[in-house]
Amino acid sequence: QVQPVESGGGLVQAGGSLRLSCSASRNMFIINAMGWYRQAPGKQRELVASITRDGTTNYADSVKGRFTISRDNAKNKMYLQMNSLKAEDTAVYYCWRGGSVVSWGQGTQVTVSS
């Protein structure tokens, strides 16, 4: 199966913003759950946000009010808008694609300096 592909990571100052994109590489009209995970050095991979086909979203407590997950099924794209970034948001961010065959992207690095 073809992997999802993330983009949009980079180096930003604390308080800044980034928008991550994920190309699902599959027909998202038939994929229910998708989400963003992240893994910081020395930490477990954690769920940041998830979204279902009908638009139901969930967020980790640490990012509520700052991050927004969205998806455009017609474009086979998922996004993570990250505002008010903090140093503790520094991590590799991964796109997770559900469906009949679960798949992960290769990750994109987000580094927040303070």
Side-chain angles (χ1 to χ4, degrees):
Q1 300 295 321
V2 178
Q3 255 190 318
V5 179
E6 305 98 333
S7 63
L11 173 64
V12 298
Q13 295 284 121
S17 297
L18 282 174
R19 188 190 188 218
L20 305 184
S21 297
C22 172
S23 297
S25 301
R26 290 187 69 180
N27 183 357
M28 286 175 54
F29 286 108
I30 64 172
I31 299 173
N32 186 33
M34 296 185 69
W36 290 94
Y37 285 73
R38 69 185 181 187
Q39 187 166 25
K43 289 188 172 183
Q44 295 179 304
R45 187 173 297 188
E46 64 175 347
L47 177 66
V48 177
S50 65
I51 186 167
T52 60
R53 188 166 50 221
D54 67 357
T56 301
T57 59
N58 282 289
Y59 296 91
D61 288 341
S62 60
V63 306
K64 285 180 179 177
R66 299 189 297 119
F67 291 9
T68 303
I69 188 171
S70 61
R71 62 192 280 175
D72 187 335
N73 295 325
K75 296 180 178 179
N76 293 334
K77 292 274 193 176
M78 182 179 67
Y79 307 97
L80 185 68
Q81 178 65 47
M82 305 185 293
N83 298 326
S84 302
L85 283 162
K86 305 173 181 179
E88 54 261 42
D89 295 318
T90 295
V92 177
Y93 285 70
Y94 298 90
C95 176
W96 177 83
R97 186 188 70 205
S100 60
V101 180
V102 173
S103 188
W104 293 85
Q106 76 287 343
T108 185
Q109 177 71 48
V110 172
T111 302
V112 184
S113 62
S114 61

